[in-house]
Amino acid sequence: MFEIGFIGTGALGGALARKLLQSGRRLTIYDADPKMRQRMAEAGATVAASARAVADTCEIAFVCLPAPAISRAVADEIAGATRLRILVECSTLGVKTMRDIADHLAQAQIAVLDCPVTGAAGGSRGVDAGTFAFVCAGPNDIFARIEPLLRSLTERVHHVGTEPGMAQIAKVINNALSITALTVSCEAIVMGVKAGLNPGALIDALNDGSGRNSATSDKFPRSILPRDFASPMSIGVKDMQLYMETIEAMGLPAPIGTAVMDIWNSAYAENPKRGYNSIVEYFERPAGVEVKG
């Protein structure tokens, strides 16, 4: 069985890499964090000295990194690799960065499959539960070669276009819808609690009605009601920024996106260390209530 590379083994990347190992794949990894490298070594992966070393060892490599600038730097590093021929880019980068990376690597005869992950719920929990999906864009022949590998991890694989960048558009749309649902749900449920409704009972009622969404069905019972705000708010800010950059580049109006972006920027400016789902506190404070179960 051929060797697969994986660059970036944090929360999401590490979960995907471990799942590849569990499927019986041989894996060579690199992560800038020594603790992540140690965890992957203990899981059975071979640890390389650099991202370039992974690309010099493996014909196919996955990348899952936290910021567009880091993905660009890694693309620059691996462009001269001796063996790499297909890069599976699982990061959420936005369309421009994705297309820049694909164009850059094409000059080095390295094909790119734009392949962000959705439904992973912050990393290992969603991947381990099998509730995540790959949204892919790239040439049909490249997708056909990688699809069996993706389906060894999840049956939820969607090929949405033949040009890298198109999956990024689908991903930023997904994220904007999820963040918007969370934001308006926080606003509305705080109103209900202020009116005297029991928050747990209200969530149950909403989930049996037409107001049900990813926030009411997952984020409120899992995180907001127990006041567990672990994931960083910066992820939501980044995702909304990518959505706004994409829609504005198309010359389209975005009044709802603008309003949501303003709320997240304001909440983040108040406390950059606050957790993702603590956006509820933005609405709780002026209402003088706490949504707690």
Side-chain angles (χ1 to χ4, degrees), residues 122-189:
S124 59
R125 189 175 65 88
V127 172
D128 293 344
T131 57
F132 73 104
F134 289 109
V135 183
C136 309
N140 290 328
D141 60 330
I142 300 300
F143 175 72
R145 180 160 183 198
I146 301 301
E147 183 181 11
L149 190 55
L150 301 178
R151 291 195 181 277
S152 72
L153 303 178
T154 178
E155 281 302 310
R156 302 176 180 187
V157 178
H158 307 278
H159 189 210
V160 298
T162 57
E163 296 181 11
M166 297 177 80
Q168 292 295 319
I169 295 174
K171 177 66 187 292
V172 299
I173 289 170
N174 174 86
N175 289 356
L177 289 171
S178 176
I179 292 167
T180 300
L182 171 61
T183 307
V184 73
S185 295
C186 288
E187 178 184 83
I189 291 166

Side-chain angles (χ1 to χ4, degrees), residues 47-117:
V47 177
S50 64
R52 173 61 183 267
V54 172
D56 284 337
T57 302
C58 305
E59 185 178 351
I60 296 170
F62 287 74
V63 177
C64 191
L65 296 165
I70 300 174
S71 289
R72 285 180 182 271
V74 167
D76 289 341
E77 182 180 349
I78 67 178
T82 56
R83 190 168 183 195
L84 185 66
R85 288 296 168 262
I86 301 176
L87 186 74
V88 184
E89 178 55 88
C90 297
S91 315
T92 300
L93 304 174
V95 61
K96 184 180 186 305
T97 300
M98 185 71 256
R99 287 177 176 165
D100 287 348
I101 288 173
D103 291 344
H104 178 48
L105 292 181
Q107 297 174 28
Q109 287 75 55
I110 298 172
V112 174
L113 185 67
D114 178 11
C115 193
V117 177

